[in-house]
Every structure is written in structure tokens, then in C-alpha cells.
């Protein structure tokens, strides 16, 4: 467990819990990342069938799949980091890969209604409170998303059920 301490006069001590793992840059690695994230959330009181764990599974799955498909560098793994801040009710998901992109994602791309891909970041955008990407030193990038763990999560998931592919 990572604990952030405050100096006297600063805000009170905040406890952050985190998980950091590396996975092979393969579809199996993306699947393992998603499973580890759901198990970790279950250990923190969010069972696998809960709305929170379902949202985490979708976001981790999409970001890990993107790292495998678009950020793969032969012989390199991708990283998953989860940071839970119970005080603020936020979970930060970070997926890091070794590929440096000329343009880091800044918004969910538009997708063709008949296309077979291109909706992953739309899902992340719908589920996350906010998301983005940052360059990683010395190479690569980290794509991150922050999810609220409060009552707004089930509402956001319900909104996804109302969206049909023809709306895209």
C-alpha cells in the first residue's frame, strides 16, 4: 500500500492504495490485466458483478487492448497501475506502453457505424470522469482514466445501455 503523507500545516494524511503490474503485450496479457483489476477491486469491497467493477473491467480492457494493438513494441510489456483514493472516491487507471506516438489521444475518435473497431475510447469517455495521456520517459506513453466510485457510476452504465451502434 502506498501512503501519501502530509507535512504539518498541509492537508490531513491521505491513504492511497495502488497496484502495479506488467503484462505481455498480447491479447492474453490484456485479458490478464482486466482480470487482475477486477480481483483487486473485489478485495476492496467492489464485487465482480458490481457496477464499479464492471466499469473498471471495461476501462482496463479497452486501454490494455489499445496498448497491445497500437502500442506494442516487440519484446516489451505493458504496465497497469490502479490507484484508489477512498477519500475522494476516485480510482485512477493507468496503462503504459513502450511505443511513442506522434500524437497522443486527446479525445475519443469518431467511428463508422459499420466499423469493427474505434469505439474503445468512446467507452472510456462515457465511463470515466476524465481521461487523457502523457508521454513516458524515456519512451512510450501512459493513457489514464479516472472513475468515480460513488452513485454516479450506475447511472453512467445505464446511459451506455441506451446507446445503439446506429447512434455512433
Amino acid at each position: 500500500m502506498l501512503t501519501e503523507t502530509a507535512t504539518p500545516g498541509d492537508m490531513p494524511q491521505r491513504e492511497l492504495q495502488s497496484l502495479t503490474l506488467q503484462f505481455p503485450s498480447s491479447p492474453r496479457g490484456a485479458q490478464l490485466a482486466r482480470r487482475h483489476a477486477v480481483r483487486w477491486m473485489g478485495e476492496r469491497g467492489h464485487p465482480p458483478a458490481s457496477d464499479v467493477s464492471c466499469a473498471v473491467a471495461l476501462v482496463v480492457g479497452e486501454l490494455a487492448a489499445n496498448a497491445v494493438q497500437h502500442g506494442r513494441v516487440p519484446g516489451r510489456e505493458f504496465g497497469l497501475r490502479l490507484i484508489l483514493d477512498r477519500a475522494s472516491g476516485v480510482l485512477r487507471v493507468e496503462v503504459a506502453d513502450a511505443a511513442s506516438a506522434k500524437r497522443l489521444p486527446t479525445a475519443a475518435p469518431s467511428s463508422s457505424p459499420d466499423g469493427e473497431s474505434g469505439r474503445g475510447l468512446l467507452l472510456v469517455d462515457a465511463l470515466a470522469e476524465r481521461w487523457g495521456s502523457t508521454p513516458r520517459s524515456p519512451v512510450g506513453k501512459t493513457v489514464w482514466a479516472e472513475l468515480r466510485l460513488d452513485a454516479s457510476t450506475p447511472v453512467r452504465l445505464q446511459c451506455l445501455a441506451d446507446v445503439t451502434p446506429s447512434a455512433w
Side-chain angles (χ1 to χ4, degrees):
M1 176 170 45
L2 174 68
T3 303
E4 178 181 302
T5 57
T7 59
D10 285 347
M11 57 186 225
Q13 183 173 349
R14 227 165 76 186
E15 192 175 306
L16 302 176
Q17 296 177 323
S18 68
L19 171 72
T20 303
L21 297 169
Q22 295 290 120
F23 296 95
S25 191
S26 68
R28 176 76 174 139
Q31 180 184 41
L32 288 171
R34 187 181 69 245
R35 286 184 178 176
H36 278 281
V38 169
R39 183 179 313 140
W40 192 78
M41 292 303 293
E43 293 167 358
R44 275 138 196 85
H46 301 283
S50 70
D51 286 332
V52 169
S53 282
C54 288
V56 170
L58 285 169
V59 169
V60 169
E62 291 301 333
L63 296 183
N66 283 349
V68 168
Q69 185 174 6
H70 305 293
R72 184 174 187 276
V73 171
R76 299 290 200 108
E77 297 179 324
F78 73 90
L80 169 68
R81 184 170 183 206
L82 304 175
I83 306 164
L84 177 62
D85 183 351
R86 287 202 186 273
S88 66
V90 171
L91 174 73
R92 183 176 173 103
V93 175
E94 298 178 350
V95 175
D97 63 52
S100 296
K102 291 181 182 173
R103 282 185 0 175
L104 297 172
T106 57
S110 59
S111 176
S112 165
D114 298 327
E116 293 183 12
S117 64
R119 294 185 182 94
L121 288 179
L122 289 173
L123 256 176
V124 172
D125 193 49
L127 291 169
E129 188 75 16
R130 62 190 196 117
W131 68 277
S133 62
T134 55
R136 217 177 59 154
S137 182
V139 296
K141 64 186 170 303
T142 299
V143 181
W144 56 268
E146 293 179 352
L147 290 84
R148 303 263 336 139
L149 302 179
D150 60 13
S152 67
T153 302
V155 173
R156 295 176 78 91
L157 285 176
Q158 180 59 43
C159 291
L160 280 179
D162 298 335
V163 177
T164 61
S166 62
W168 291 326

